Amino acid sequence: MVSDRVLLETESLSKSFGGVHAVQEVSFSVRQGQIKGIIGPNGAGKTTLFNLITGVYRPDRGSIRFDGERCAGLAPHQMAERGIARTFQNVELFERMSVLENVMVGRHPRTRAGFISAAFRLGGARGEERLIREKALEILGFVGIVDKAEWVSSALPFGLQRVLEIARALATEPRLLLLDEPASGLNAVETRDLGRLLGRIRDRGITVLLVEHDMSLTMEICDEILVMDYGRRLAEGTPREIQRHPQVIAAYLGEELVA
Amino acid sequence: MPAFFRHHLLHVSAFALLMALVPFMVTSRYYLNLFIFIGIHTLLTLGLNLLMGYAGQISLGHAAFFGLGAYTSGILTVTYHVSPWPAMGAAVLVTIMVALVIGVPTLKLTGYYLGMATLGFGIIVNICFRELSGITGGPSGLVGIPPLSLGGVVLDEPRYVYYLIWGVTLGALAVSLNIVDSRVGRALRAIHDSEVAARASGVDTARLKIWVFVVSAAYASLAGSLYAHFVTFISPSSFGFMFSVKLVTMVVVGGMASVWGAVFGAATLTALPEVLAAFHDYEILIFGFILMVVMIFLPQGLTRGFLDLAERWRFYRRGIPAAKV
C-alpha cells in the first residue's frame, strides 16, 4: 500500500509567535498511502505544524511541497482544493446545521455553483445540488452515521461529532487527511472504532497524518511516527524504532515505558 | 414555469396571491401606503438578513446603501434628467462599487469591530448627503423625483406602486430562498458557525463575505430607488443611523437566518409605530426595548422561535433530537 512516492514534504519549516519558536527547522515527509503519526509533549508544536501545512499560518521560513508543488503561503481553502483536508483538536462543526448539511459543505471545493446560478436556480446548479447530496449520503454511509443524517450536528454524542468531522473532511475528496487528536475525548470502544475507520480510509487510497496522544492507538495503526519536542523534529521512524529511540524515551515516553 | 420559482413555488405563490389581494381589501390610501412601506422594508430586511442572519456579519450602516440607491436615482433623474429605470440600474451599480470598496477592508474585521466599521461608514455617508448640498440638496433634501412608469403607464397611483414594489420584493424573496438553499447558502451558514472550519472545508470565506455584502447592498439600493420614486422627495434624515438600527431590529425580530422571518420582522416593525403613533416621541425607546427583549428571551427571533418549537415537536415525535439553543 505504502508507495515510495512522497506526497507531502516540508523543509526547514519554521514559525515563531513573538519570541516563542513554535516550530523550528522541521523537515519531514509523508509518503503516499501511509498513516503517519506525530507525537510529542504538549506545546511541542504539533498543532502549529498542522496549521502551517493547511495554510492557517504562513511559515516564517522553509518550504512545503504537496505532490511536488510548492504551496507554502496558500490560503486554507486553496489547500483544501489541492487535496488536503483536516479536522480540529476541539471539534469544529457547523452546529446549527444538520449532519448531512455539514458533510454537504465539505463538497464545496469540488463543486461550482455560485451566487448567480444559485439565485436563479439554473439547470447546472440543480443537477450539482443532487450530486452533492448523493455524495454526502454515501460518505455518511461509509463512516456509519447515515441514519443520523437529519440530526442537528450539535445533538450528536461527542464521539460521533468527531466521526462527522472526519466525514466532512472526506467529502472534500482529500489525498491527504490531517487529524488533530482524533481520539481525545473518546472512550475505549470509540477509539477502537476510530482505528478501524482510519484503516478503511487508508484503504480508500487516502494518506493520513495524525497528531495523537493515545499511544496504543498511535503505535498500533501508524506506519511511521514523527516525534517533536520544543518545536523541533526529535526523531522519525517506525513505531518499533520510536519506542526504542533513547532520546524519545528520555523526552517523552520514558515514564510510560518504565511503568 | 422556469426552475427559478419552482423550488418554493407553493409558498411563494400563495404569499404572492395574498399580497395581490391587499389593494382590493384595503381601500384607504393610508393603509395602502403602509403596505408599500412594508414592501420596501421587507426588501431591505431580506438583503440584510442574508448578510447578518445567514453569514453572521453585522452591518450597522445599511441605511447608507438604502440612501445611495435613493440619492443616485434622485440626482440622476432630477438634476440630469435621466429616465427612472436606467437611473435605478445606475444606482445599483454605484452601490455595488461602494460596497466593494468598503467591504474589502472592513470584512476582514469580525464581531464588534465590523459593527463599528459599518457604523462609521453609515455616518460618513449620511454626512455626505447632508453636506454636499450642491449635489444632494443638503439637509432640505431633493424634491421632484419623477415616479417610475411601466409600459407607458406612469406609476403615480399608490395601487400601481404597490404592485411594482411587491413584485420586486417577491422576486427578491424567491432569490433569497434559492440562495439560502444552495451550495452558496450552506457556505454562508458555515461561515456563521465556524469560519475556520468553513475555510478548511474549501470555502473561500473572504470572497464569499464580500459577495454577500455586495448582494445585500444591492437589495438595499433597489429598495432606495423604489422609495425615492414613490415618495418623490428624499432628505438625509431618512438614511441615518437610527434607520440602520431599525433594520437590524427587523432582522432580529423576524429571526436571524429565516427568509420568511424577514417579511414578518419588516411588517411588524413597520406597522408598530403606526399603531403606537401616540408614543411617537418614544419610538426609539420602544425599538430598543423590543430589541433587548427579543435578544434575551427569543434570540432566534419570533418566527424562528415558534418554528423551532414546532420543529422540536415534529422531531420529538420521530425520535430525532433537535437543535440545542
Side-chain angles (χ1 to χ4, degrees), chain B residues 183-249:
Chain B
R183 169 178 182 264
V184 174
R186 272 193 305 274
L188 290 175
R189 283 185 287 153
I191 292 175
H192 196 167
D193 279 358
S194 170
E195 192 162 343
V196 58
R199 296 207 321 247
S201 305
V203 178
D204 186 346
T205 56
R207 200 180 122 110
L208 201 60
K209 283 198 278 185
I210 289 165
W211 253 104
V212 70
F213 191 64
V214 165
V215 167
S216 115
Y219 273 52
S221 174
L222 209 55
S225 296
L226 290 168
Y227 169 78
H229 291 297
F230 168 53
V231 296
T232 72
F233 161 76
I234 53 176
S235 71
S237 58
S238 312
F239 312 105
F241 172 60
M242 281 341 296
F243 191 64
S244 289
V245 171
K246 256 191 195 182
L247 291 176
V248 170
T249 315

Side-chain angles (χ1 to χ4, degrees), chain A residues 92 96 108 111 113 121 129, chain B residues 181 183 186 193-194 318:
Chain A
E92 290 275 351
R96 281 169 287 192
H108 203 89
T111 46
R121 209 150 271 270
E129 191 69 9
Chain B
D181 214 355
R183 169 178 182 264
R186 272 193 305 274
D193 279 358
S194 170
R318 292 166 55 191

Side-chain angles (χ1 to χ4, degrees), chain A residues 1-16:
Chain A
M1 273 300 222
V2 183
S3 72
D4 289 334
R5 210 173 99 135
V6 172
L7 186 61
L8 179 82
E9 188 173 22
T10 73
E11 214 181 283
S12 312
L13 208 57
S14 303
K15 177 75 184 175
S16 311

